[in-house]
Amino acid sequence: MTTSSWGGGGGGGGGAVRLWCCGLLLMLLSGGGGAAAQRPPAYKTLSGKAPLVIAKGGFSGVFPDSSQNAYVFALSSTSGDTTLWCDVQLTKDGVGICLRDLLMNNCTSINQAYPAGEKAYIVNGQRSKGWFPIDYTISSLQSVILTQAIWSRTDKFDFAYLPILPVINVTNLAKPSSVWLNIEHDIFYRQHGLNMTKYILSISKGGSVQYISSPELGFLQSISGRVNRKTKLVFRFLDATSSDPSSNQTYGSLLNNLAFIKTVASGIMVPKEYIWRVTTDNYIQPATSIVRDAHSAGLEIYASDFANDRIIPYNYSYDPLEEYLHFVGSDNFSVDGVLSEYPLTAAVAIGCFTNLNVSSKTDHGSPLIISHNGASGDYPDCTDLAYQKAVDDGADVIDCSIQMTSDGVPVCMSSINLFETTNVQRTSFSNRASIFKDIQPTPGIFTFNLTWADISSSDLRPKISSPESIYYLVRNPVHKNAGNFFRLSDFLTFAKDKDLSGIMIIIKNAVFMANSLGFDVVDSVTKALSDAGYNNQTTKAKEVMIQSEDSAVLVNLKQLETKYKLVYTLPSTIGDASASSLVDVKKFADAVIVDRESIFPESQGFIMKETNLVKDLRSAGLAIYAQVFRNEFVSPPWDFFSDVTVEINSYVQLVNIDGIITDFPKTVRRYKIIYPGHIMVSLTVAACTHAVLLAVNSCTGLGVNMPSYMKPAQIGGLAQLLYGSQAQPPALAPMPVLNSSDVTEPPFPSAAPKNAPGGAANGSTPAPGASPSGSQAAAVMRAGILPMVTALFASLLI
């Protein structure tokens, strides 16, 4: 590996430190580079070969674009045929450097190194103001470091003092892989006496430069026939309404003349929206014919603008891998390559999930796919649509969180507070707000304030959850109020004939219900199960799991000698469990649910270690289900690269988790199809046809030939890169240990009959809670306004 011969700058780093960092980067995916997977033979690319993974500035989704860390990690985390993208800029003395932006202040510390260096130039007819590379020699840039250009990404690696790299360093770094040089501003450089053509012709003589692209057709014409014959020229399309400055034609009009482009270039690169159009409300439309048109003209076609941490169309359910599959795994076409800031996800999509048989019969082996309020990432929690989507998407277990209505009907709802799950504040029931301090200190309208007839009325509509709304990430807005709520009896009837291994009944607030409202939730649940025939267990019957965070509930069920599987929800943020607490839990539970951060605790978004919790729980003979896995890119820690599939893979491979609780069952089902242990389970249940179908996938026969991109993340690896710098994440505070006193509770109380709190509106006794004060009433109003503000900001971000 060749490193830059000139210094790091910024007062940190240095050559020896950078070499150490690169070595660590090579190991970050648990052992460094592995062989590429044997890819499926049938790709609908022009050549029939696998689409190319193009790492834009390296792994620029995590590290500063075009830094040595970004390039090294892109190569070590993907496969040997990944190509490194370099946006070429020229310095004052004509040296080519890799820099994502002509305005250096957008991606470097130039404005700190040279505070008085700001200038204004005309670029493609527009006045631009900032710091430009044409004003600095290569030697004067030694004190300038690369910085993260995207505000939503971690800036911690800005403090790794990563220097600007000359193009020659990147070409040497890439060997034996290839380099893609992108030239964005040839006309600008010529206007200032710098010859980009001459530079590119000299640098491309080496074998590493296999692709050269530009949005200026005139530049490609100037080098056509003069570069290495193995080097491919690619015309890059920008926004359809903007113009190529070398021809003064809009890119939209040039798209209609692919035959002419073929005389200059062997391929084209287009923004992904050229292929799948996107509506103004962020849903994809049917694919255009551009891929087939390009292939018919003999042109390869590459798609650009892929990044895991962008707001992608809602059709993809925030799953970046699903988006790639629309471009490389479509039934009708495949692009010839993708330009990505997260090349690992692109490599996984192409190497493991393209041509995957996802229509095979569902296999219910480990790890179990357990829905979280149904497929709540796509439809409102606990509605008929959410449950049907969970079944269609391959959930093994669907869940019902029990709440009680004022007339004693158990219903499936994710929250006892209707503010969180419905539009209640905009209905005639909005005057029923009250405070129950045993539940929450703020006002709410609770399920026990309404009858089942109220809840099932057309006036009250479900509301989709958006757990990451603080980041203005909302879910499936077209269906934000779609679906109907289920009673527990409806849920049990629905699940009975579905291809599921079981159901999960979640009991919350049972002690409060018994003491304050006179409802015996445990009795209501067991009676509903009996009435629906779930007590008549046979070998083919669905497993019934009952989950609670209250040990008294599970102890009560244990004493009733039910045949249900009892699941205990552990307190959040614990990092270990005492031997005595494990003995106590095992007395009443068969399995436990743990928060993800209890397994891999984080500091400022970086995983710091793996706790002993899973090991301890497994030693006690308890099954372990982890919660809650979400697709939104802000949900996983940085170590999983804004990709929940990487997160799932790490939990399965590193701790062998028994079940995954998720808002998006489809994402876990797709992973489970390629999971190697999955085939063994299929064989044990004699699903031989299914096992054979799965075995043809390139990522099921892993072993020593496991590709790099399917290896689990190295826990704490990213944080290690920051040790010793001012950006080092703070050390973790000691995590609580689960003790017997945390587990043991008073016996479950008998329900004392009381008047059900239906609220004065229907003539029944008022709820035994305090009426909200004026400021609390204002909070009720804000509860209705906040979702609308969030939706507005989300639309602006899109």
Side-chain angles (χ1 to χ4, degrees):
M1 182 182 303
T2 303
T3 57
S4 173
S5 59
W6 50 288
V17 174
R18 289 198 302 276
L19 282 171
W20 177 84
C21 286
C22 289
L24 183 58
L25 283 167
L26 287 167
M27 298 188 296
L28 266 178
L29 289 195
S30 294
Q38 186 65 39
R39 288 167 171 162
Y43 288 100
K44 295 181 175 64
T45 56
L46 184 63
S47 66
K49 297 179 180 178
L52 180 68
V53 176
I54 312 157
K56 187 180 186 304
F59 211 120
S60 55
V62 175
F63 303 100
D65 192 296
S66 305
S67 66
Q68 184 158 301
N69 282 17
Y71 284 129
V72 169
F73 194 60
L75 293 175
S76 65
S77 64
T78 56
S79 61
D81 47 6
T82 294
T83 191
L84 301 181
W85 172 282
C86 164
D87 286 294
V88 182
Q89 314 295 345
L90 292 179
T91 63
K92 186 176 183 178
D93 48 349
V95 177
I97 57 175
C98 295
L99 204 62
R100 68 172 286 146
D101 202 319
L102 183 64
L103 291 174
M104 298 182 70
N105 48 298
N106 288 342
C107 54
T108 74
S109 65
I110 187 75
N111 54 332
Q112 299 172 36
Y114 299 99
E118 186 179 36
K119 290 188 178 180
Y121 291 107
I122 302 299
V123 181
N124 293 343
Q126 301 292 322
R127 186 175 185 271
S128 295
K129 193 175 182 180
W131 282 255
F132 294 80
I134 61 172
D135 295 318
Y136 303 92
T137 64
I138 189 69
S139 61
S140 67
L141 293 177
Q142 292 188 37
S143 60
V144 177
I145 60 171
L146 295 164
T147 59
Q148 181 54 259
I150 307 300
W151 67 270
S152 60
R153 297 172 182 169
T154 179
D155 63 352
K156 296 294 186 184
F157 295 104
D158 294 0
F159 300 95
Y161 301 106
L162 301 169
I164 297 171
L165 295 180
V167 175
I168 188 64
N169 289 56
V170 177
T171 59
N172 289 332
L173 188 69
K175 293 175 182 176
S177 295
S178 60
V179 172
W180 184 308
L181 302 181
N182 181 59
I183 290 80
E184 199 89 357
H185 300 290
D186 173 56
I187 292 175
F188 172 78
Y189 286 112
R190 280 195 280 119
Q191 289 170 345
H192 294 277
L194 294 168
N195 192 327
M196 182 66 80
T197 299
K198 182 178 178 181
Y199 176 78
I200 292 299
L201 290 175
S202 66
I203 200 74
S204 64
K205 291 178 181 178
S208 293
V209 179
Q210 293 187 15
Y211 303 87
I212 299 173
S213 63
S214 178
E216 298 180 8
L217 199 56
F219 173 74
L220 295 180
Q221 289 172 319
S222 73
I223 63 172
S224 180
R226 302 169 66 188
V227 295
N228 188 311
R229 60 187 180 85
K230 293 183 179 180
T231 301
K232 295 182 178 181
L233 302 186
V234 178
F235 181 56
R236 188 179 183 191
F237 284 80
L238 303 181
D239 180 79
T241 60
S242 59
S243 296
D244 166 17
S246 67
S247 67
N248 292 322
Q249 296 185 63
T250 65
Y251 292 103
S253 63
L254 287 168
L255 196 62
N256 297 320
N257 202 353
L258 295 179
F260 170 67
I261 292 174
K262 174 61 178 169
T263 65
V264 180
S266 62
I268 60 174
M269 175 174 281
V270 299
K272 57 189 180 183
E273 289 77 14
Y274 275 49
I275 300 170
W276 291 95
R277 301 289 189 196
V278 180
T279 63
T280 55
D281 55 351
N282 202 36
Y283 289 86
I284 58 172
Q285 296 177 310
T288 67
S289 63
I290 184 174
V291 176
R292 291 186 293 274
D293 294 344
H295 286 171
S296 296
L299 289 163
E300 291 182 315
I301 179 168
Y302 306 89
S304 65
D305 302 336
F306 288 91
N308 294 0
D309 53 358
R310 291 182 179 172
I311 298 180
I312 57 179
Y314 295 119
N315 310 70
Y316 304 133
S317 301
Y318 286 102
D319 183 352
L321 204 152
E322 180 71 17
E323 181 181 34
Y324 283 108
L325 292 177
H326 274 66
F327 290 83
V328 301
S330 168
D331 292 336
N332 300 315
F333 64 82
S334 173
V335 297
D336 299 278
V338 291
L339 177 63
S340 175
E341 297 176 32
Y342 289 84
L344 182 147
T345 303
V348 169
I350 294 166
C352 291
F353 293 98
T354 305
N355 302 325
L356 193 65
N357 184 1
V358 295
S359 60
S360 305
K361 181 177 173 58
T362 303
D363 170 20
H364 299 303
S366 180
L368 287 175
I369 304 169
I370 305 170
S371 75
H372 182 244
N373 307 315
S376 56
D378 294 299
Y379 292 102
D381 297 2
C382 303
T383 57
D384 54 348
L385 296 179
Y387 287 129
Q388 187 61 57
K389 176 71 171 167
V391 171
D392 294 343
D393 288 348
D396 299 309
V397 176
I398 58 173
D399 66 308
C400 169
S401 188
I402 300 298
Q403 313 297 344
M404 299 297 291
T405 65
S406 64
D407 50 346
V409 177
V411 296
C412 299
M413 280 196 175
S414 60
S415 174
I416 196 171
N417 186 359
L418 294 173
F419 282 162
E420 297 177 6
T421 57
T422 74
N423 67 338
V424 69
Q425 63 270 32
R426 287 186 254 170
T427 70
S428 58
F429 309 119
S430 61
N431 62 345
R432 301 193 189 182
S434 56
I435 297 174
F436 285 84
K437 292 184 178 179
D438 288 340
I439 298 176
Q440 63 183 49
T442 54
I445 299 176
F446 304 100
T447 57
F448 53 77
N449 293 134
L450 276 68
T451 65
W452 168 245
D454 294 334
I455 288 175
S456 58
S457 70
S458 59
D459 194 26
L460 191 74
R461 300 306 306 154
K463 179 175 67 178
I464 199 166
S465 61
S466 291
E468 308 297 352
S469 60
I470 189 174
Y471 302 103
Y472 307 113
L473 300 179
V474 298
R475 293 173 170 177
N476 200 6
V478 165
H479 296 290
K480 64 182 179 181
N481 298 118
N484 299 298
F485 291 118
F486 270 179
R487 294 169 296 184
L488 174 59
S489 58
D490 301 324
F491 172 84
L492 296 175
T493 301
F494 170 85
K496 204 163 190 181
D497 64 347
K498 301 300 186 294
D499 185 10
L500 298 164
S501 67
I503 57 173
M504 176 91 78
I505 307 298
I506 304 165
I507 298 178
K508 300 178 180 178
N509 304 305
V511 174
F512 165 80
M513 293 285 185
N515 287 334
S516 300
L517 305 178
F519 292 140
D520 188 333
V521 181
V522 172
D523 181 66
S524 297
V525 168
T526 53
K527 184 177 185 303
L529 287 167
S530 178
D531 291 346
Y534 281 81
N535 281 356
N536 303 320
Q537 297 283 0
T538 67
T539 55
K540 293 183 179 180
K542 291 176 174 58
E543 182 175 52
V544 175
M545 293 187 271
I546 299 183
Q547 172 196 342
S548 183
E549 61 185 15
D550 299 320
S551 63
V553 169
L554 301 181
V555 169
N556 187 24
L557 286 163
K558 191 79 171 180
Q559 293 170 345
L560 294 174
E561 298 184 352
T562 63
K563 296 181 180 179
Y564 309 134
K565 184 173 185 176
L566 304 182
V567 183
Y568 183 48
T569 305
L570 295 181
S572 60
T573 72
I574 64 168
D576 210 339
S578 67
S580 60
S581 71
L582 293 174
V583 171
D584 290 336
V585 171
K586 187 61 179 173
K587 289 177 183 177
F588 59 78
D590 307 293
V592 293
I593 290 176
V594 300
D595 287 345
R596 295 173 304 155
E597 200 165 338
S598 288
I599 301 173
F600 298 130
E602 306 167 26
S603 176
Q604 295 184 347
F606 291 89
I607 295 177
M608 304 302 286
K609 66 176 184 178
E610 177 186 339
T611 67
N612 293 320
L613 185 60
V614 169
K615 177 183 174 183
D616 293 340
L617 294 169
R618 189 154 282 128
S619 70
L622 294 161
I624 304 160
Y625 308 140
Q627 68 173 7
V628 174
F629 288 78
R630 297 186 170 108
N631 287 5
E632 286 93 344
F633 59 83
V634 296
S635 178
W638 301 116
D639 304 68
F640 299 137
F641 318 126
S642 303
D643 183 351
V644 71
T645 299
V646 176
E647 182 176 30
I648 293 165
N649 184 47
S650 297
Y651 274 83
V652 171
Q653 291 201 45
L654 293 176
V655 297
N656 195 27
I657 208 76
D658 298 296
I660 293 172
I661 300 173
T662 176
D663 292 352
F664 299 90
K666 181 179 181 180
T667 300
V668 188
R669 170 56 58 187
R670 186 187 56 221
Y671 170 80
K672 190 172 172 179
I673 288 177
I674 70 158
Y675 176 52
H678 191 81
I679 295 181
M680 293 186 286
V681 174
S682 298
L683 289 170
T684 60
V685 296
C688 298
T689 303
H690 187 208
V692 171
L693 285 170
L694 295 180
V696 302
N697 184 270
S698 58
C699 288
T700 53
L702 301 176
V704 296
N705 293 319
M706 179 185 293
S708 300
Y709 44 77
M710 281 308 295
K711 293 185 178 181
Q714 182 179 335
I715 299 306
L718 285 182
Q720 269 189 282
L721 290 173
L722 298 169
Y723 284 171
S725 76
Q726 65 189 87
Q728 178 177 331
L732 288 171
M735 299 180 71
V737 175
L738 185 71
N739 293 306
S740 290
S741 59
D742 303 312
V743 175
T744 305
E745 295 178 352
F748 187 73
S750 299
K754 295 182 181 180
N755 289 325
N762 62 5
S764 62
T765 303
S771 298
S773 65
S775 61
Q776 291 165 336
V780 173
M781 293 186 63
R782 286 196 297 272
I785 295 171
L786 182 59
M788 292 186 285
V789 174
T790 299
L792 173 62
F793 271 96
S795 65
L796 291 174
L797 283 171
I798 293 167

